[in-house]
Amino acid sequence: IDIIYMELCDQYLHDLIKNDPTMNDFFLFDEYSNKKHIQPDFYSEKHYQKLHTLDLKYKKILEKKDNKTLGDRILLRDILHNIHMELEYEIYMYMPINLNDNVLIDYVTECSGNGTYQFEKRRDYLDFMKRLQSLNVITNEILMKMKNGMDKKVCLPRRTVDKMIETINDILKNNLYDNNSKPKPKEWDETVQKYLVKNLLKLNMFLIQEYYPYTKDDKIGLCAYKGGKSAYQKMIQYKTFQSITPQQVYDLGWKELKRLNKEKKRLETKMGLKNIDESVQKYTFKHSKDILQKLKNIRKDLQTNVFSKNFHGSLSKKDLYLIKSVPLENKRMFAYYVSSDLKNKKKGTFYINTFKPENINKHELYVLSLHEGIPGHHYEVSFHNNAEIPNYLKLGDDGYSEGWGLYCENLGNYKDDYEYYFKLEYERLRSLRLILDTAIHFFGWKYDQCFQLMKKELTNYTDKQIDKAIIRYMNNPGQAITYKIGEKAFLYVRDTLLKEGYSIKDIHQIMLEVGPCPIELFVEIVK
């Protein structure tokens, strides 16, 4: 590839891949196939310095450039955020991993064949085994940073550490890293034991014996640490709108919750029910295979009855997504989508947690499919992966992607009142996230305050489900607010274009052709 003719953001992407060839598991550029075996220590100061130097270089180029493309604007925005994180955001220097972001857990998924890495021939296994050998250095770096956090009294919340220990114990007990494919070399299992399993054990022993006494139950958000409030505010502004404040996000959450509670009451009255939450509880599954079959039936219905009414073109079998049960190492997650690579060697997959079928309602799968499948994440990601746009943009944007997913929940044919009930319940959850995310990381709420609010509003949630949700918000500041704020942006654009006479199919085409980009730029461009 002659990068002279590339957009600047794609030149930057190629420089990133040179520093971290594992990124190419998604892009699959041929010119980096000889670097497939390299796993850098991306927790090291040396690696941070390389990225920082790269960011400063591109910042200088971009700031001198007069006529900036959309790719330039997005890249500059990302770089300025990166520089802020590298220079001013030392909190996470002491907490390099957590429950949701842990390279060792990621390697369990990759080793088992459930990840992005492609195991097609013997050479792929040999390259991956070389990556595994890097885990000794990486694990030592993680532990050193966490020990520095112990000295500074900046540690992960106790509940997060409890779940990390539990997850690692599950992995080790059930050998969740096993890969049963035929072409694997005879040295594979020994290498996995030597570098992955031993480091998982090492991390777990450290968490139990050294780290745990330093953890606390009352420090669950960024605001518990010096500079945390400022860091959180900048984080949510990067993920949504530069002018937004935590107070505005918090207030929007309560406003939306009030509106949706009123609509829920109207539905309850329409159905002639005294308590709709109790009434819906009887419609659960007994067997995991029935969940997967129901999702396949819904996939066909959405293709026929929702996509055709809202989008140009048509879908064939090759455009559809796979449906699978969540692997055990990710059992903390309820439902999620994993996209294909850029060469479509692995199909996009909708994962659903089927470990306890009785926790899944038959009527909630429709709204979930709208969000994760078609026309939600799968269609949006597939559209952009096949579009003639800079490859850098194909890394996606949380606000755009999650906003699109929630917006697509509005496109369903809710002929069944219970399916509409779950549409409201999921939207109520996204509104609660606005309240809880800001409450945890900016306003200093304790765990019990968060728990009681969720228990009051989501009466059908078990205590374990509520606990998982709160721990997720604790571990990933700002991500939970992108759904509702992103959806609001899409609804605003839709209503604006409808007033100008555009058809709904044309509007959705415009929305997709402008993205993926930060929602602030999305609104600016379309309006």
Side-chain angles (χ1 to χ4, degrees):
I1 291 177
D2 186 351
I3 63 172
I4 294 171
Y5 299 105
M6 283 184 181
E7 273 230 36
L8 200 61
C9 61
D10 274 352
Q11 292 185 38
Y12 178 81
L13 171 64
H14 280 262
D15 282 339
L16 286 180
I17 294 172
K18 288 169 190 172
N19 279 320
D20 182 4
T22 66
M23 288 182 67
N24 199 43
D25 292 353
F26 169 68
F27 292 101
L28 298 178
F29 296 129
D30 291 336
E31 62 265 41
Y32 302 112
S33 59
N34 64 335
K35 296 179 181 292
K36 197 174 180 180
H37 62 288
I38 298 172
Q39 168 61 72
D41 177 9
F42 42 51
Y43 296 104
S44 70
E45 294 306 311
K46 184 179 178 182
H47 187 75
Y48 284 132
Q49 192 54 51
K50 279 185 181 179
L51 294 180
H52 185 57
T53 302
L54 192 65
D55 285 337
L56 292 175
K57 170 189 168 183
Y58 279 88
K59 176 177 177 282
K60 189 175 180 181
I61 296 169
L62 284 162
E63 287 179 340
K64 287 182 178 179
K65 194 172 179 186
D66 292 329
N67 299 313
K68 294 182 180 65
T69 64
L70 177 60
D72 291 336
R73 294 177 67 189
I74 293 171
L75 178 59
L76 181 58
R77 189 177 184 274
D78 289 346
I79 282 172
L80 291 174
H81 181 70
N82 292 345
I83 291 171
H84 155 66
M85 295 288 282
E86 288 155 7
L87 295 181
E88 303 171 40
Y89 194 50
E90 67 176 27
I91 296 169
Y92 275 134
M93 293 296 290
Y94 306 124
M95 298 186 286
I97 60 171
N98 57 44
L99 184 62
N100 300 326
D101 184 5
N102 185 333
V103 65
L104 294 180
I105 306 299
D106 292 342
Y107 260 97
V108 171
T109 300
E110 295 293 344
C111 279
S112 68
N114 292 320
T116 307
Y117 190 87
Q118 308 281 337
F119 291 103
E120 293 180 332
K121 49 188 182 291
R122 178 181 168 82
R123 180 72 201 176
D124 298 327
Y125 285 90
L126 295 175
D127 284 337
F128 198 83
M129 287 161 62
K130 288 181 180 176
R131 287 192 189 183
L132 287 171
Q133 293 173 23
S134 305
L135 293 182
N136 285 350
V137 172
I138 289 174
T139 302
N140 288 338
E141 191 80 44
I142 289 169
L143 298 190
M144 182 189 76
K145 283 184 160 49
M146 294 180 82
K147 286 174 182 176
N148 290 340
M150 289 158 58
D151 292 338
K152 297 282 186 178
K153 297 184 179 178
V154 179
C155 295
L156 292 165
R158 179 162 291 175
R159 280 185 170 81
T160 292
V161 178
D162 282 333
K163 293 296 179 187
M164 289 171 71
I165 293 168
E166 179 186 315
T167 299
I168 295 171
N169 283 338
D170 275 346
I171 289 167
L172 298 173
K173 179 182 176 183
N174 297 289
N175 301 334
L176 299 182
Y177 40 79
D178 276 353
N179 187 314
N180 298 314
S181 300
K182 288 182 180 178
K184 70 179 183 181
K186 62 181 180 181
E187 308 93 339
W188 171 264
D189 290 334
E190 182 185 343
T191 305
V192 171
Q193 286 289 328
K194 185 175 180 181
Y195 295 105
L196 178 58
V197 174
K198 281 191 177 179
N199 281 305
L200 282 166
L201 282 165
K202 185 175 183 178
L203 173 60
N204 229 23
M205 287 301 100
F206 167 75
L207 292 174
I208 294 166
Q209 296 175 358
E210 297 182 55
Y211 195 74
Y212 201 80
Y214 287 82
T215 64
K216 295 183 182 298
D217 274 328
D218 57 345
K219 286 188 175 184
I220 66 170
L222 292 182
C223 60
Y225 305 105
K226 183 181 177 182
K229 279 192 171 189
S230 173
Y232 178 71
Q233 176 144 340
K234 287 182 179 178
M235 195 173 291
I236 65 170
Q237 288 170 341
Y238 170 69
K239 290 178 180 289
T240 59
F241 292 88
Q242 288 297 317
S243 60
I244 209 164
T245 66
Q247 186 68 54
Q248 287 173 322
V249 175
Y250 180 83
D251 291 344
L252 176 62
W254 283 111
K255 182 181 177 182
E256 286 291 285
L257 190 61
K258 182 179 179 181
R259 175 182 67 81
L260 292 162
N261 283 345
K262 188 176 178 181
E263 176 62 8
K264 181 179 174 182
K265 193 68 184 173
R266 184 200 66 76
L267 178 65
E268 193 173 55
T269 303
K270 177 200 167 194
M271 294 175 71
L273 298 170
K274 287 185 178 179
N275 189 322
I276 193 170
D277 294 326
E278 287 183 5
S279 177
V280 78
Q281 285 182 12
K282 57 190 174 186
Y283 302 108
T284 57
F285 288 94
K286 291 183 179 178
H287 307 289
S288 59
K289 62 181 175 60
D290 295 333
I291 298 170
L292 301 178
Q293 186 56 53
K294 175 78 170 173
L295 285 170
K296 289 174 184 175
N297 296 341
I298 292 171
R299 181 179 62 188
K300 179 66 176 173
D301 177 65
L302 295 180
Q303 183 184 2
T304 306
N305 297 315
V306 173
F307 182 85
S308 59
K309 292 177 183 177
N310 289 283
F311 297 87
H312 292 300
S314 59
L315 297 171
S316 63
K317 190 174 181 180
K318 71 177 177 61
D319 299 314
L320 302 182
Y321 51 94
L322 300 178
I323 297 166
K324 292 183 180 181
S325 296
V326 167
L328 191 57
E329 71 270 14
N330 289 330
K331 74 173 186 177
R332 68 190 182 279
M333 301 173 77
F334 176 57
Y336 59 93
Y337 172 74
V338 176
S339 74
S340 67
D341 54 85
L342 276 195
K343 289 188 177 178
N344 293 311
K345 287 190 174 184
K346 279 193 172 184
K347 290 194 75 169
T349 305
F350 171 18
Y351 287 93
I352 182 80
N353 192 321
T354 61
F355 291 111
K356 291 190 175 180
E358 67 275 11
N359 285 345
I360 297 182
N361 197 285
K362 294 176 182 179
H363 297 284
E364 73 179 306
L365 296 183
Y366 185 76
V367 68
L368 267 175
S369 295
L370 283 162
H371 185 103
E372 305 290 354
I374 292 172
H377 288 325
H378 177 73
Y379 182 66
E380 177 259 312
V381 171
S382 299
F383 183 97
H384 291 128
N385 282 356
N386 293 302
E388 294 293 323
I389 60 174
N391 284 311
Y392 178 78
L393 302 189
K394 295 175 184 179
L395 291 168
D397 177 86
D398 268 357
Y400 181 95
S401 184
E402 298 301 356
W404 173 260
L406 182 50
Y407 169 81
C408 286
E409 293 177 24
N410 297 290
L411 302 180
N413 294 322
Y414 293 100
K415 295 173 184 175
D416 183 298
D417 284 335
Y418 281 124
E419 284 182 351
Y420 182 62
Y421 161 85
F422 276 103
K423 190 264 184 196
L424 293 177
E425 285 298 278
Y426 274 89
E427 195 175 353
R428 288 173 71 246
L429 172 62
R430 274 53 169 269
S431 301
L432 275 167
R433 286 176 178 174
L434 300 179
I435 299 167
L436 292 166
D437 202 82
T438 49
I440 289 168
H441 295 291
F442 194 82
F443 295 113
W445 281 28
K446 305 303 181 192
Y447 176 90
D448 287 344
Q449 287 175 274
C450 301
F451 188 93
Q452 291 307 319
L453 176 61
M454 289 194 78
K455 189 78 173 170
K456 174 176 175 280
E457 293 293 340
L458 303 172
T459 56
N460 279 339
Y461 270 51
T462 65
D463 289 358
K464 281 190 175 180
Q465 287 172 317
I466 293 172
D467 182 63
K468 279 183 185 178
I470 296 171
I471 290 174
R472 172 186 168 180
Y473 311 148
M474 287 159 46
N475 280 274
N476 201 348
Q479 194 274 341
I481 74 167
T482 59
Y483 296 74
K484 195 66 183 154
I485 294 176
E487 181 217 25
K488 284 289 186 184
F490 277 100
L491 290 172
Y492 170 78
V493 166
R494 181 201 66 184
D495 293 345
T496 301
L497 294 180
L498 281 172
K499 287 174 186 175
E500 294 177 11
Y502 288 88
S503 71
I504 196 66
K505 288 187 177 183
D506 286 342
I507 289 170
H508 292 152
Q509 188 72 16
I510 291 167
M511 287 175 168
L512 289 166
E513 286 180 352
V514 170
C517 64
I519 53 172
E520 185 166 37
L521 291 179
F522 169 71
V523 171
E524 177 192 324
I525 292 164
V526 178
K527 76 174 185 179

